[in-house]
Amino acid sequence: MDSTDSGPSVQITPDMIDQYRTEGYFVLENVISPEDLELLRSGAEYSMQRLDAEMDAAGVERLGINARGKRYFSHLIYQHRPELRRFIFGPTMAAICRSVLGQDAYLFWEQYVIKAADPDTAFAWHQDSGYVHEDHDPYLTCWIALDDVTEENGSVYLLPYSRSGIRSYVKHIRSATGDEVCYFGSDRGMPVIVPAGSIVCFSSTVIHRSGPNLTDRLRRVYLLQYSAEVIMDKAGKEPWGSFERFLDGGRVSVSGQD
């Protein structure tokens, strides 16, 4: 159905958009309401329980890049928890997508990234585009902090365009742990330290990593990715990811949205 949202709940300035164009990112601090934060956290708990059950059923401690009690990458949870749709397709994300992508936007991917208290929870240098393929336009990643993020609990580290010298897809190499890796230099990156309820917005071509969680508490992140067009698979036959139209000519247009 076609609908209009209640207006942007977040202020995105021209300077932020200029920084996105020149450096590949901008940061919005404390922009998620307490109610929405609790909603997203409830989805995080469900995502961990779901992956633990899958590992139990398989009799393993690792599934792909997931490791029980260490790190969890659980995707498309909103398909099981439809209440998450009110945030995914809500006014905050609409405002961000309009500002970055323009009048048309699709949900490309949704994923929880959760690090438990374990030193083996670092994630290697990569571009989000490195997990797709080289034949697509860059898309938008919204890295949503569900807990206060510090260097001690696994902050994301960015290599802005001016530091990496790279603005487009580069070839990745798969590590022994299943991580895709594209940078082996000495720059440790720019740590992003933000409070819970903040959103780090960056291009899928920005090289980034995250450190281990060395605290005794979870570090939970909700990852939403949007594109300006449908990204197809390598063969050009099927959509890559889970596509739903979000913005159509600037208006929210989501099938089944309340």
Side-chain angles (χ1 to χ4, degrees):
M1 81 182 198
D2 290 334
S3 63
T4 55
D5 56 66
S6 59
S9 63
V10 58
Q11 183 65 35
I12 302 165
T13 68
D15 285 346
M16 290 177 181
I17 297 305
D18 182 63
Q19 180 174 292
Y20 187 90
R21 304 301 180 208
T22 58
E23 294 287 16
Y25 78 97
F26 64 89
V27 178
L28 298 165
E29 291 197 8
N30 291 313
V31 293
I32 299 177
S33 70
E35 294 78 15
D36 281 342
L37 194 55
E38 286 309 306
L39 170 69
L40 302 184
R41 285 171 172 167
S42 71
E45 181 65 24
Y46 172 83
S47 73
M48 293 176 66
Q49 293 172 353
R50 182 178 175 84
L51 272 172
D52 280 343
E54 289 180 11
M55 285 185 259
D56 287 342
V60 298
E61 295 299 303
R62 279 183 173 269
L63 276 177
I65 59 176
N66 298 285
R68 186 196 300 272
K70 295 183 178 181
R71 65 182 193 178
Y72 296 83
F73 296 80
S74 191
H75 59 274
L76 305 184
I77 293 301
Y78 83 102
Q79 295 181 353
H80 306 278
R81 299 290 295 265
E83 63 269 24
L84 294 169
R85 295 174 64 88
R86 80 165 190 253
F87 180 82
I88 296 170
F89 300 114
T92 295
M93 303 317 299
I96 293 171
C97 286
R98 286 192 194 99
S99 297
V100 174
L101 299 175
Q103 297 300 293
D104 297 288
Y106 297 81
L107 176 67
F108 173 48
W109 199 246
E110 177 253 25
Q111 179 172 272
Y112 280 97
V113 182
I114 301 169
K115 295 186 177 188
D118 192 283
D120 183 29
T121 50
F123 202 57
W125 285 115
H126 67 284
Q127 298 170 314
D128 287 340
S129 284
Y131 283 85
V132 187
H133 54 72
E134 68 271 23
D135 297 324
H136 68 275
D137 291 332
Y139 52 89
L140 166 67
T141 290
C142 297
W143 194 92
I144 302 168
L146 305 185
D147 301 289
D148 294 342
V149 177
T150 66
E151 289 196 78
E152 290 73 27
N153 73 358
S155 171
V156 65
Y157 293 78
L158 306 180
L159 281 181
Y161 292 149
S162 62
R163 287 172 67 160
S164 70
I166 295 170
R167 302 175 63 94
S168 59
Y169 173 96
V170 295
K171 184 176 177 59
H172 288 60
I173 298 172
R174 181 163 296 182
S175 71
T177 60
D179 297 356
E180 299 286 347
V181 189
C182 71
Y183 177 74
F184 301 90
S186 59
D187 192 332
R188 69 186 298 270
M190 179 192 76
V192 180
I193 310 302
V194 292
S198 300
I199 305 176
V200 185
C201 302
F202 56 91
S203 168
S204 65
T205 58
V206 168
I207 297 174
H208 60 286
R209 68 176 177 93
S210 61
N213 184 357
L214 303 178
T215 72
D216 60 358
R217 303 182 68 181
L218 293 175
R219 192 232 64 182
R220 298 164 293 181
V221 166
Y222 193 41
L223 201 68
L224 293 175
Q225 296 174 321
Y226 302 88
S227 61
E229 59 186 4
V230 175
I231 298 173
M232 304 301 288
D233 62 16
K234 182 69 172 177
K237 295 181 178 180
E238 300 289 339
W240 184 285
S242 177
F243 277 96
E244 288 193 55
R245 181 181 283 275
F246 181 15
L247 299 179
D248 183 1
R251 292 172 57 87
V252 171
S253 179
V254 182
S255 175
Q257 179 75 345
D258 292 333

